Amino acid sequence: MYNIILIFVCLLAGIFLQKVKRLPINLYKKLNYIVIYFCLPSLALFYIPKIVLDTKLLYPIGVTWIGFTTAILFFSLLGARLKWSRKLTGCMIMTAGFSNTSFLGFPIIQALYGNEGLKMAILVDQPGTFVVLSTLGVFIATLYSTGSPNGLEIIKKILFFPPFIAFLLACFMNVFHFDFHEYIQFGLQKAGSVMTPLAMLSVGLQLQFDRKSKHFKFLGLGLVYKLIMTPALIYLLYVVIMKQHSQMIQVSVMEAAMAPMISSSIIASSYGLKPRLCSMMIGFGIPISFFTLVFWYFVANFIL
């Protein structure tokens, strides 16, 4: 309950701080920098070496791979049928295809399922969301903006991104059954613990509500895909078809139901893929997701 309260307090604090003119305009970027380059690598290095490897781990890892590839097929076909522009199609794929599995997902999953759930959430995010965003995501953003993706640039962005480096190091540590000294582990855990307030404060600072926009019909479609269709697809595949019933599957469904990802929207916007619609997907998607997540939480409780 404490973590849930903290989420809302920090979110509201971020919204309130938007009114404070003395604060730097790009404060949220600095907070994002701390979370991405400091907190996320710390969490990966603390939790991943302790995970017992099993083929069942493919379930949380597969959440974003399934969700994003399905988004590519769905919006590409729909865009072609409705004669959307390439930039609109790319925007819909990038914003509706990724869940906010870390900034929102980590604190919410930790609040609902504890540290064991957080371990599974990290698997959804690191080898799942992060790798997909750094490879297919950048490829799609480039393809729909210019039509000529730079393969070398994609590889460089992946290899030199600190969270990915930390993820690879943590995987090697896991395989070779190595872990840090307890004092270092304590430091990593504490460094990761500040992620929740910083991430939610950053989200609050970025929330924008443009009620006069002409993009509402696309916004509605994108949010229906992201908040309803994606978790429903994961539930159908994992629970109904594959007959899986565990806390790992609960976490997978909940992570699939998270709001649109801030980072993917920022990338889409930076590539010129309908920046205003990108902002709306985040601004409306995050608060609405708190209601849809309640629904999916009750659905997930029937999995066990």
Side-chain angles (χ1 to χ4, degrees), residues 137-244:
V138 174
F139 177 85
I140 290 296
T142 308
L143 181 64
Y144 279 89
S145 61
T146 65
S148 56
N150 188 324
L152 181 61
E153 191 65 26
I154 293 174
I155 295 173
K156 286 174 61 179
K157 287 182 178 180
I158 297 171
L159 295 179
F160 294 101
F161 201 53
F164 186 68
I165 295 172
F167 166 72
L168 290 180
L169 176 59
C171 287
F172 279 113
M173 292 171 63
N174 186 300
V175 170
F176 292 102
H177 306 288
F178 173 80
D179 208 343
F180 291 111
H181 187 277
E182 59 183 61
Y183 292 135
I184 298 179
Q185 291 188 49
F186 177 79
L188 292 171
Q189 187 178 31
K190 291 302 179 183
S193 67
V194 302
M195 181 204 66
T196 298
L198 292 181
M200 297 313 300
L201 190 62
S202 172
V203 169
L205 286 167
Q206 296 174 79
L207 283 182
Q208 299 291 332
F209 302 94
D210 186 0
R211 296 183 179 88
K212 298 180 181 179
S213 175
K214 298 178 181 179
H215 293 309
F216 274 106
K217 60 181 179 180
F218 305 116
L219 171 70
L221 178 60
L223 292 181
V224 167
Y225 178 86
K226 177 74 236 26
L227 303 178
I228 304 298
M229 294 174 63
T230 301
L233 174 63
I234 297 300
Y235 185 90
L236 176 65
L237 287 175
Y238 288 4
V239 180
V240 178
I241 297 177
M242 298 182 180
K243 308 296 183 183
Q244 296 298 310

Side-chain angles (χ1 to χ4, degrees), residues 52-92:
V52 179
L53 295 179
D54 189 284
T55 55
K56 291 184 178 180
L57 297 182
L58 292 175
Y59 290 112
I61 292 174
V63 168
T64 305
W65 290 95
I66 294 170
F68 188 65
T69 53
T70 304
I72 294 174
L73 293 173
F74 179 77
F75 288 111
S76 294
L77 293 173
L78 188 63
R81 184 178 181 84
L82 299 179
K83 298 182 179 179
W84 289 352
S85 67
R86 289 180 61 82
K87 290 188 176 182
L88 175 58
T89 302
C91 174
M92 296 297 285

Side-chain angles (χ1 to χ4, degrees), residues 103-154:
F103 279 23
L104 285 178
F106 285 178
I108 291 175
I109 294 300
Q110 187 173 35
L112 296 175
Y113 300 102
N115 288 335
E116 286 301 314
L118 181 58
K119 292 179 184 179
M120 299 302 105
I122 290 174
L123 287 174
V124 175
D125 183 73
Q126 291 286 302
T129 302
F130 171 71
V131 175
V132 178
L133 178 63
S134 301
T135 54
L136 281 177
V138 174
F139 177 85
I140 290 296
T142 308
L143 181 64
Y144 279 89
S145 61
T146 65
S148 56
N150 188 324
L152 181 61
E153 191 65 26
I154 293 174

Side-chain angles (χ1 to χ4, degrees), residues 28 85-95 141 144-145 206-210 213-216 218-219 260-284:
Y28 72 91
S85 67
R86 289 180 61 82
K87 290 188 176 182
L88 175 58
T89 302
C91 174
M92 296 297 285
I93 293 173
M94 290 294 294
T95 55
Y144 279 89
S145 61
Q206 296 174 79
L207 283 182
Q208 299 291 332
F209 302 94
D210 186 0
S213 175
K214 298 178 181 179
H215 293 309
F216 274 106
F218 305 116
L219 171 70
M261 185 183 190
I262 294 173
S263 299
S264 65
S265 298
I266 291 173
I267 290 175
S269 179
S270 68
Y271 277 81
L273 303 178
K274 301 293 181 182
R276 185 168 294 182
L277 180 55
C278 291
S279 177
M280 291 177 66
M281 285 289 287
I282 296 298
F284 286 91

